[in-house]
Amino acid sequence: MKLIFSNTIFALVSFFIQNCHSQNGFTIDTRETANGKIRLNSEVNLKFTDWIANIPEDKNLEGKFIVLEFWASWCNPCIEQVSHLNELQSKFSEKNLYFISITDEKTEIVKNVLKRVHFESIVVSDQRKINNFWNGGIKKLILPFTILIDDEGYIKWIGIPSLLREKDIQDLITKKIIPFNLYEREKK
């Protein structure tokens, strides 16, 4: 009887935790985390099929610090975080710092979202899914999802936009950032 009760309590707590995370726009499955092959200090080589909005004159991402936000038009928590990211971006004027919002959706879908939601960030799409994030890198992409990439192309921060602070970005630029991975912390 105690074993059945304990298993029931465990199942209810697990269900509650998963649903709370889902309502906030992300889920954490300890068997298959959102970062898959995305690991701290791993190198990224970003490529996009479409540059959709706020396109920079210099599309060369080498030597740039990047705040990379994964989002989708159907993801309400993603849309809700746009104002937070816009606010963060407004605090920085460095030419070598790019805020990029990436989706894998068609350009027409994204443009419809842009009619009702204002993005300050560069908005891009990778419909070919050629980046290591899509191509076998992430088994289960959990949105919204944010990573910080240093000017040498290495991931230094993995998390969700609501946890991203001005200090994290400042530390990235000054190379004082302490590596952070939300999903590794959640598994412990």
Side-chain angles (χ1 to χ4, degrees):
M1 181 71 168
K2 285 183 181 179
L3 181 60
I4 293 171
F5 181 74
S6 295
N7 287 342
T8 303
I9 295 296
F10 177 76
L12 288 172
V13 169
S14 297
F15 177 78
F16 175 75
I17 290 171
Q18 183 174 2
N19 284 329
C20 285
H21 285 302
S22 295
Q23 290 171 4
N24 290 325
F26 66 98
T27 58
I28 295 174
D29 182 340
T30 57
R31 292 167 293 146
E32 191 176 280
T33 62
N35 58 343
K37 287 185 181 175
I38 296 180
R39 290 182 173 73
L40 291 174
N41 297 313
S42 63
E43 189 171 12
V44 295
N45 182 17
L46 298 173
K47 297 191 184 331
F48 312 120
T49 55
D50 303 287
W51 295 77
I52 302 169
N54 305 318
I55 303 166
E57 287 182 30
D58 181 6
K59 293 182 189 175
N60 180 3
L61 301 178
E62 288 183 33
K64 306 286 191 303
F65 294 97
I66 299 172
V67 176
L68 186 63
E69 172 66 18
F70 294 82
W71 72 286
S73 62
W74 48 263
C75 172
N76 286 334
C78 298
I79 301 302
E80 291 168 3
Q81 288 300 312
V82 171
S83 61
H84 172 66
L85 292 167
N86 286 346
E87 182 182 330
L88 283 173
Q89 184 171 349
S90 71
K91 297 179 180 185
F92 294 92
S93 59
E94 289 78 2
K95 299 234 185 264
N96 65 337
L97 173 64
Y98 281 12
F99 282 73
I100 301 176
S101 298
I102 184 172
T103 183
D104 65 348
E105 296 177 294
K106 293 181 180 177
T107 303
E108 303 81 46
I109 293 170
V110 176
K111 286 184 177 180
N112 282 333
V113 172
L114 294 175
K115 289 176 184 175
R116 61 182 173 80
V117 180
H118 177 72
F119 282 75
E120 288 290 330
S121 62
I122 300 164
V123 180
V124 299
S125 181
D126 176 22
Q127 294 178 54
R128 295 175 293 180
K129 301 180 181 174
I130 58 176
N131 291 302
N132 61 344
F133 308 113
W134 316 113
N135 189 15
I138 297 178
K139 296 176 185 169
K140 182 178 178 183
L141 184 61
I142 297 167
L143 300 174
F145 181 67
T146 305
I147 62 175
L148 300 183
I149 303 168
D150 71 10
D151 61 338
E152 295 175 17
Y154 291 94
I155 297 173
K156 297 297 181 182
W157 191 96
I158 300 170
I160 57 176
S162 60
L163 294 179
L164 185 60
R165 304 165 305 162
E166 181 180 351
K167 182 182 181 337
D168 298 322
I169 299 169
Q170 190 62 48
D171 287 350
L172 175 73
I173 295 168
T174 59
K175 298 194 180 235
K176 295 178 184 173
I177 193 163
I178 297 170
F180 173 82
N181 183 342
L182 170 68
Y183 302 99
E184 290 300 316
R185 293 174 190 270
E186 288 286 337
K187 287 196 313 187
K188 294 179 181 174

